[in-house]
Amino acid sequence: MAVSGMSAGRSAMRMGPAELVQAAAMARRFYLEGKSKIQIAEEFGVSRFKVARVLETALERDLVRIEIRVPAELDAERSDALRARYGLRHAVVVESPADAEESPDPENLGETAADLLGELVNEGDVLGLAWGRSTIHMAAALDRLPPCTVVQLTGVYDAGTAERGSVEAVRRAAQVSGGDAHPIYAPMLLPDAATAAALRNQTGIARAFEYFDKVTVACVSIGSWEPGISTVHDMLSDEERAHYASLGVAAEMSAHLFDAQGRRVGRDLGERCITVKADQLRRIPEVVAIAGGARKAMAIDAVLRSGLVTSLVTDTSAADVLMAAGPTPKPALNRADPDGL
């Protein structure tokens, strides 16, 4: 009985030339020609159980090598691990650029998110876009969308840049899809609740708000509670920042604030904001967050723990931190409110 040169753990029996030829032929039929095991069994005059054993042996002996290939910029292993850890519907991890530490939400996240939306959005859907650099990059990269309505979910960071920001993102997505656009020409944060309420009642803004309960797919950004990485943080005064920091703010999304456990804090801020409500986000079937970079990782963790997000597009820098971030959180797809409200 001769022993082949195969590694430990594989079958030690050497296959004769007839067996090798037959195994190669069966493998070709099964893997390349798409024939079933029953069809192969009929062709070779053996049982389908014999075919199954031969195919298994072909794998063991390296006659067949199965490779799973995805584009080089996608990390399939991290993506699957992240999806499982947070109970997400989809998690897509892309390779971080060399300067990822200095550049949260690199532009390639937007490009990947654009491709993901092309998969998720169906004809007749209502697509909601929240303010954020990553969603703006995503909209710029869109090249396919089925016919759908596109609505803006938040006001803009700076009304003076609306044409180059969220409003343009909504218009771009609607142009690609051939659907209607409902932008919001208003700042995200107002000086007081009364001004915000008055703006919400203006015709154009009110029309956009009417679509919030009809949104089927939403695209949002996530910010850390620090300068330059949170739109809301940068819009507030020093005194206001200190106040919300004292409440334990770790992250913000669409002007909603979260502590490290994913609980909403500082809810009074929402009264001054033009934004979709948290309970409306929770009812949207698919909420895709686009956020990356190691500096944003713990903010991403906090928002994922809130249960508001169903899918994530991120990068390897953030994914490595997220996979080591404390105990496994409650799965996001139960959409439960951590506050119990």
Side-chain angles (χ1 to χ4, degrees), residues 141-204:
L142 280 172
D143 58 11
R144 64 185 176 98
L145 271 182
C148 64
T149 299
V150 186
V151 60
Q152 194 168 321
L153 296 179
T154 64
V156 299
Y157 174 43
D158 179 352
T161 64
E163 295 298 320
R164 302 188 301 277
S166 300
V167 170
E168 178 55 32
V170 169
R171 285 177 170 172
R172 167 66 182 166
Q175 180 184 37
V176 172
S177 74
D180 293 332
H182 295 277
I184 294 177
Y185 294 94
M188 181 189 294
L189 180 66
L190 282 304
D192 51 65
T195 304
L199 275 178
R200 291 189 202 106
N201 289 325
Q202 287 188 359
T203 304

Side-chain angles (χ1 to χ4, degrees), residues 29-304:
R29 304 290 195 280
F30 186 73
Y31 291 107
L32 299 183
E33 298 176 13
K35 291 188 175 181
S36 69
K37 292 175 184 176
I38 293 176
Q39 290 174 313
I40 297 170
E42 290 175 351
E43 178 182 348
F44 287 88
V46 298
S47 71
R48 62 186 176 89
F49 302 105
K50 170 69 179 294
V51 173
R53 286 197 300 273
V54 170
L55 292 174
E56 183 179 346
T57 301
L59 283 172
E60 290 176 349
R61 297 302 183 85
D62 283 340
L63 287 176
V64 175
R65 295 185 182 182
I66 298 176
E67 292 183 352
I68 300 172
R69 293 184 177 181
V70 295
E73 68 271 15
L74 296 182
D75 192 309
E77 186 175 346
R78 284 183 174 92
S79 297
D80 188 55
L82 207 57
R83 180 201 56 76
R85 173 177 169 79
Y86 287 93
L88 297 167
R89 187 170 291 120
H90 304 285
V92 183
V93 178
V94 303
E95 198 67 37
S96 299
D99 59 349
E101 232 177 272
E102 301 299 322
S103 305
D105 301 338
E107 289 192 25
N108 62 337
L109 292 185
E111 295 166 2
T112 300
D115 288 340
L116 179 60
L117 281 190
E119 293 182 63
L120 299 180
V121 176
N122 296 306
E123 183 172 350
D125 276 350
V126 177
L127 171 63
L129 301 181
W131 160 265
R133 284 182 292 269
S134 57
T135 52
I136 292 168
H137 291 153
M138 180 277 299
L142 280 172
D143 58 11
R144 64 185 176 98
L145 271 182
C148 64
T149 299
V150 186
V151 60
Q152 194 168 321
L153 296 179
T154 64
V156 299
Y157 174 43
D158 179 352
T161 64
E163 295 298 320
R164 302 188 301 277
S166 300
V167 170
E168 178 55 32
V170 169
R171 285 177 170 172
R172 167 66 182 166
Q175 180 184 37
V176 172
S177 74
D180 293 332
H182 295 277
I184 294 177
Y185 294 94
M188 181 189 294
L189 180 66
L190 282 304
D192 51 65
T195 304
L199 275 178
R200 291 189 202 106
N201 289 325
Q202 287 188 359
T203 304
I205 297 173
R207 187 177 298 117
F209 268 61
E210 289 173 1
Y211 278 92
F212 286 3
D213 287 325
K214 303 174 186 177
V215 173
T216 50
V217 180
C219 199
V220 300
S221 297
I222 295 172
S224 300
W225 200 245
E226 56 180 300
I229 313 187
S230 164
T231 301
V232 174
H233 179 282
D234 292 348
M235 288 191 290
L236 296 173
S237 67
D238 290 341
E239 184 179 352
E240 289 170 326
R241 290 171 191 147
H243 165 67
Y244 290 116
S246 72
L247 301 179
V249 175
E252 61 93 358
M253 178 184 69
S254 302
H256 300 293
L257 309 181
F258 304 88
D259 69 9
Q261 299 305 312
R263 296 181 293 252
R264 287 181 60 214
V265 295
R267 298 187 183 213
D268 60 304
L269 183 66
E271 298 174 7
R272 296 169 48 195
C273 292
I274 302 296
T275 186
V276 62
K277 294 179 180 177
D279 61 342
Q280 290 174 313
L281 278 172
R282 199 177 298 279
R283 292 194 296 268
I284 296 173
E286 186 74 75
V287 179
V288 180
I290 313 170
R295 292 174 64 189
K296 273 196 177 182
M298 297 315 296
I300 297 169
D301 177 73
V303 172
L304 292 182

